[in-house]
Amino acid sequence: MIRVALVDDQPLFLGGIAMILDSQDDMRVVAKENSAVGLAAVVAATRPDVILMDVRMPGVDGITATAELVRTLGERAPKVLVLTTFDADEAAASAIESGASGFVLKDAQPEFLLASIRAIAAGNQVVAAAATRKLFERFRARAAAPGPEYDELTAREREILLQTVRGLSNAEIARAESLSEATVKTHVSRILAKLGVRDRVQLVVYAYENNLV
């Protein structure tokens, strides 16, 4: 069961999304909040796996709330899937940098939204397809040589890093490298730890910012 918290200042949208999610056998809405103020306390009380968070809200916006959750909870922070109205919204890009695991557009089809929540809960990243190029061109624009943390990676880990950045799943990497899926999962975990990034989407950001792709 995927436990989902909803944070959006539009009551009609909040209620509609809650109805869709609660109709799924593998999802349960554990919180509906119209503000990100006090979100840490809500997370502590309801223990969501995924937070579906609007980027633009009065008071505490989705970017600030995401960054605060990651800062205070670290690895225990729930995955955050941010919602935005525009492709490659600057706020959405900032949310990714702050620790969100992806973003989708508010006009996405319900099936895509549900699939995105499942993907985020499984540890994958989701970025609205139409915005991917623009989003990562922003990160590439300030690219520099990687730091000493990159030197800690083995040759195998560097290859798996690049395949992960290209969007290959663990199963696809396992087939390409003639490894077991469990071994690939271990390599990915070690790569994340050595580079000090939270998840696969942050790994993509790292690769673009350090001129690896």
Side-chain angles (χ1 to χ4, degrees):
M1 185 66 68
I2 303 171
R3 300 168 61 84
V4 184
L6 308 178
V7 185
D8 194 293
D9 64 332
Q10 298 177 8
L12 186 61
F13 183 83
L14 194 67
I17 294 298
M19 289 179 62
I20 293 172
L21 268 58
D22 277 334
S23 71
Q24 304 300 301
D25 293 336
D26 62 339
M27 294 185 190
R28 176 183 168 196
V29 175
V30 295
K32 292 188 294 183
E33 300 293 321
N34 57 18
S35 168
V37 176
L39 186 57
V42 173
V43 168
T46 61
R47 297 176 292 105
D49 302 303
V50 175
I51 298 178
L52 195 60
M53 177 121 61
D54 189 15
V55 169
R56 301 181 182 279
M57 293 180 288
V60 178
D61 60 55
I63 303 166
T64 303
T66 298
E68 181 64 16
L69 286 175
V70 173
R71 185 186 68 80
T72 56
L73 298 178
E75 292 299 317
R76 295 181 293 108
K79 303 292 185 181
V80 176
L81 181 62
V82 296
L83 295 166
T84 182
T85 307
F86 304 104
D87 288 5
D89 191 309
E90 286 293 308
S94 297
I96 294 292
E97 293 175 306
S98 298
S101 294
F103 75 88
V104 297
L105 303 181
K106 276 196 167 183
D107 62 358
Q109 292 296 316
E111 294 79 7
F112 180 75
L113 178 61
L114 294 170
S116 298
I117 293 171
R118 292 184 179 106
I120 292 295
N124 296 311
Q125 70 271 20
V126 175
V127 176
T132 302
R133 182 180 296 276
K134 292 179 182 178
L135 177 66
F136 291 111
E137 279 179 353
R138 162 181 165 152
F139 299 137
R140 194 203 301 274
R142 56 172 183 262
E149 72 283 349
Y150 182 72
D151 296 333
E152 298 297 317
L153 299 182
T154 65
R156 172 76 82 178
E157 288 169 344
R158 293 181 186 187
E159 179 61 28
I160 290 176
L161 182 156
L162 292 178
Q163 292 179 332
T164 302
V165 169
R166 295 185 187 112
L168 272 66
S169 66
N170 287 350
E172 291 168 332
I173 296 172
R175 287 194 294 271
E177 295 290 325
S178 299
L179 298 170
S180 71
E181 195 169 341
T183 299
V184 172
K185 184 176 180 180
T186 298
H187 278 305
V188 172
S189 295
R190 288 175 178 169
I191 292 167
L192 297 177
K194 288 181 179 180
L195 298 183
V197 296
R198 182 177 180 227
D199 54 24
R200 295 169 80 107
V201 74
Q202 299 301 316
L203 188 60
V204 174
V205 173
Y206 177 91
Y208 272 86
E209 288 186 334
N210 289 279
N211 210 25
L212 300 178
V213 293

